[in-house]
Amino acid sequence: MSSAVSEQRVLSGMRPTGSLHLGHYHGVLKNWVKLQHEYECFLFVADWHALTTHYEDPRVIEESVWDMVIDWLAAGINPGSATLFIQSRVPEHAELHLLLSMMTPLGWLERVPTYKDQIEQLKEKDLATYGFLGYPLLQSADILMYRAGQVPVGADQVSHIELTREVARRFNYLYGREPGFEELVEQAIQKMGKKSAKLYRSLLNKYQEQGDESALETAHALVREQQNITLSDKERLHGFIEGSGKVILPEPQALLTPASKMPGLDGRKMSKSYNNTITMRDSEDDVMHKIRTMPTDPARVRLTDAGDPEKCPVWQWHLVYSDDSTRNWVQQGCKTAGIGCLECKKPLIDSVQEELKPIRIRASEYAGNPDLVKSIVAEGCEKARDAAKQTLEEVREAMGLGYF
Ligand code: TRP
Ligand code: SF4
């Protein structure tokens, strides 16, 4: 259910644990670039999250942070449209995480499916730490801090958004009940002015008497667009619609990122640990070499052996990069041994070079101007902190820490 949430605000983060590759580009970055035109985007480097798994050897984190920001910019993230920041430079995230930890049942964290999965998968690391158990709660703090309505994530992260929603609900339940709530709501309704007040009441009626969900949506929207009432009053009015107390931390939605079709050079998922990537900064020569040496259908030993594209990772790449006519040419040529594998790879080399050319140029511009990159991030951190401080102030107040 929507609420006081900034429907139009998107928040997402990425862990700095190595160079970004075409998997990130096709899977995440192109999506972010699109979203930055449709929403108010806060995008951040999740360096503390990286530390939960890389605490024994954190060097890769510091080596990756700035390059990652550069890769975002090179991919087309526009610092004029999106706010870019680094998690550890907005220490308010740590305070919110701490405060949320007070009211989050241990079982909720132990039951997040990624918890046991990751411990199992990353056996070489000791993840029996306090920090790693808290990973998804830190993520909840990241999200709730900005009251983001939409969180673009892959399917593997949906359980973390679900946890975030539960934490928000519990927080609002515990701390959104203030003495005299009903009277305060009544006063807030009147502050909206005659017309809006009347509309608010009638929408509420429609929802309560007829279960009209769209009336509920409209009522939230009406509250959201009020200019003359305080944030606290808005939270009361949102909460009243839901039949709860104040909605201090609104529940976000996962904005599921469509699964990337971009496989690795060997046909498995593209991943640094499989050593099957093309990074966003690979040189022209690297790209050529890597594609030329991609494995193909093992049945094609000689040029005269016919092949089957379904058994070949190169074909998967044609599905990403090639149009119908090229695909037909591949299907035909492969099955009749009419083309060689190097020939088949040629259009892919061209497409990847074409795709990476402007990215490389922008990346080298930013890489050559580290001061510019730092100032973009510094500005983003400042903007993020402003938003974060507002939320924290209310959270402190609600949790009884407002006696300063
Ligand atoms: N856990 C996310 C990942 O591994 C990164 C992340 C941290 C994140 N905080 C977030 C994503 C907040 C979305 C919102 O991909
Ligand atoms: Fe793969 Fe193309 Fe060679 Fe067929 S011709 S095996 S699709 S590389």
Side-chain angles (χ1 to χ4, degrees), residues 11-13 15 44 46 49 135 139 142-143 151 153 157:
L11 174 118
S12 202
R15 295 152 28 97
F44 74 100
H49 278 104
Y135 183 114
Q139 186 164 352
D142 298 336
I143 297 165
V151 185
V153 286
Q157 298 283 309

CSV table of all heavy atoms in Angstrom, one decimal, residues 11-13 15 44 46 49 135 139 142-143 151 153 157, ligand 1:
chain,number,residue,atom,x,y,z
A,11,LEU,N,15.5,4.9,-5.1
A,11,LEU,CA,16.8,4.8,-4.4
A,11,LEU,C,17.4,3.4,-4.8
A,11,LEU,O,16.7,2.4,-4.8
A,11,LEU,CB,16.7,4.8,-2.9
A,11,LEU,CG,18.0,4.5,-2.3
A,11,LEU,CD1,18.5,5.7,-1.5
A,11,LEU,CD2,18.0,3.3,-1.5
A,12,SER,N,18.7,3.5,-5.2
A,12,SER,CA,19.3,2.2,-5.4
A,12,SER,C,20.8,2.3,-5.2
A,12,SER,O,21.4,3.4,-5.2
A,12,SER,CB,19.1,1.7,-6.8
A,12,SER,OG,19.3,0.3,-6.9
A,13,GLY,N,21.4,1.2,-4.9
A,13,GLY,CA,22.8,1.1,-4.5
A,13,GLY,C,23.5,0.0,-5.2
A,13,GLY,O,22.9,-1.0,-5.6
A,15,ARG,N,27.3,-2.4,-4.8
A,15,ARG,CA,28.5,-2.6,-4.0
A,15,ARG,C,29.8,-2.5,-4.8
A,15,ARG,O,29.9,-3.1,-5.9
A,15,ARG,CB,28.4,-4.1,-3.4
A,15,ARG,CG,27.3,-4.3,-2.5
A,15,ARG,CD,26.8,-5.7,-2.4
A,15,ARG,NE,27.8,-6.7,-2.7
A,15,ARG,CZ,28.5,-7.4,-1.8
A,15,ARG,NH1,28.2,-7.2,-0.5
A,15,ARG,NH2,29.4,-8.2,-2.1
A,44,PHE,N,23.6,5.3,-5.0
A,44,PHE,CA,24.8,5.4,-4.1
A,44,PHE,C,25.7,4.1,-4.2
A,44,PHE,O,25.3,3.1,-4.6
A,44,PHE,CB,24.3,5.6,-2.7
A,44,PHE,CG,23.7,4.5,-2.0
A,44,PHE,CD1,24.5,3.7,-1.1
A,44,PHE,CD2,22.4,4.1,-2.2
A,44,PHE,CE1,23.9,2.6,-0.5
A,44,PHE,CE2,21.9,3.0,-1.6
A,44,PHE,CZ,22.6,2.3,-0.7
A,46,ALA,N,27.5,1.4,-2.2
A,46,ALA,CA,27.2,0.8,-0.9
A,46,ALA,C,28.5,0.2,-0.4
A,46,ALA,O,28.7,-1.0,-0.4
A,46,ALA,CB,26.1,-0.3,-1.1
A,49,HIS,N,28.1,-2.0,2.7
A,49,HIS,CA,27.6,-3.4,2.3
A,49,HIS,C,28.8,-4.2,1.8
A,49,HIS,O,28.8,-5.4,2.1
A,49,HIS,CB,26.5,-3.3,1.3
A,49,HIS,CG,25.1,-3.0,2.0
A,49,HIS,ND1,24.5,-1.8,1.9
A,49,HIS,CD2,24.3,-3.8,2.7
A,49,HIS,CE1,23.4,-1.9,2.6
A,49,HIS,NE2,23.2,-3.1,3.0
A,135,TYR,N,23.1,-7.1,7.3
A,135,TYR,CA,23.1,-6.6,5.9
A,135,TYR,C,21.8,-6.1,5.4
A,135,TYR,O,21.7,-4.9,4.9
A,135,TYR,CB,23.7,-7.7,5.0
A,135,TYR,CG,23.9,-7.3,3.5
A,135,TYR,CD1,25.2,-7.3,3.0
A,135,TYR,CD2,22.8,-7.1,2.7
A,135,TYR,CE1,25.4,-6.9,1.7
A,135,TYR,CE2,23.0,-6.8,1.4
A,135,TYR,CZ,24.3,-6.7,0.9
A,135,TYR,OH,24.5,-6.4,-0.5
A,139,GLN,N,20.4,-2.2,4.5
A,139,GLN,CA,19.7,-1.9,3.3
A,139,GLN,C,18.4,-1.2,3.5
A,139,GLN,O,18.0,-0.2,2.9
A,139,GLN,CB,19.6,-3.1,2.4
A,139,GLN,CG,19.0,-2.9,1.0
A,139,GLN,CD,19.2,-4.0,0.1
A,139,GLN,OE1,20.0,-5.0,0.4
A,139,GLN,NE2,18.7,-4.0,-1.1
A,142,ASP,N,19.0,2.3,4.3
A,142,ASP,CA,19.3,3.1,3.1
A,142,ASP,C,18.0,3.5,2.4
A,142,ASP,O,17.9,4.7,2.0
A,142,ASP,CB,20.0,2.2,2.1
A,142,ASP,CG,21.4,1.6,2.5
A,142,ASP,OD1,22.0,2.2,3.4
A,142,ASP,OD2,21.8,0.6,2.0
A,143,ILE,N,17.1,2.6,2.4
A,143,ILE,CA,15.8,2.9,1.6
A,143,ILE,C,14.9,3.8,2.4
A,143,ILE,O,14.4,4.9,1.9
A,143,ILE,CB,15.1,1.6,1.3
A,143,ILE,CG1,16.0,0.7,0.4
A,143,ILE,CG2,13.8,1.9,0.7
A,143,ILE,CD1,15.5,-0.7,0.3
A,151,VAL,N,12.3,0.9,-5.5
A,151,VAL,CA,13.7,0.5,-5.3
A,151,VAL,C,14.0,-0.5,-6.4
A,151,VAL,O,13.6,-1.6,-6.4
A,151,VAL,CB,13.9,-0.2,-4.0
A,151,VAL,CG1,15.3,-0.5,-3.8
A,151,VAL,CG2,13.4,0.8,-2.8
A,153,VAL,N,15.7,-3.2,-8.1
A,153,VAL,CA,16.6,-4.3,-7.6
A,153,VAL,C,16.4,-5.5,-8.5
A,153,VAL,O,15.4,-5.7,-9.1
A,153,VAL,CB,16.4,-4.7,-6.2
A,153,VAL,CG1,16.9,-3.7,-5.2
A,153,VAL,CG2,14.9,-5.0,-5.9
A,157,GLN,N,17.2,-9.6,-4.7
A,157,GLN,CA,17.1,-8.6,-3.6
A,157,GLN,C,15.7,-8.4,-3.1
A,157,GLN,O,15.5,-7.6,-2.2
A,157,GLN,CB,17.7,-7.3,-4.0
A,157,GLN,CG,19.2,-7.3,-4.4
A,157,GLN,CD,20.0,-7.4,-3.2
A,157,GLN,OE1,19.9,-6.6,-2.3
A,157,GLN,NE2,20.9,-8.4,-3.2
B,1,TRP,N1,22.3,-5.2,-1.6
B,1,TRP,C1,22.3,-4.5,-2.9
B,1,TRP,C2,23.0,-5.5,-3.9
B,1,TRP,O1,23.8,-6.3,-3.5
B,1,TRP,C3,23.0,-3.2,-2.8
B,1,TRP,C4,22.3,-2.2,-2.0
B,1,TRP,C5,22.6,-1.8,-0.7
B,1,TRP,C6,21.0,-1.7,-2.3
B,1,TRP,N2,21.7,-0.9,-0.3
B,1,TRP,C7,20.7,-0.8,-1.2
B,1,TRP,C8,20.1,-1.8,-3.4
B,1,TRP,C9,19.5,-0.1,-1.1
B,1,TRP,C10,18.9,-1.1,-3.3
B,1,TRP,C11,18.6,-0.2,-2.2
B,1,TRP,O2,22.8,-5.3,-5.0
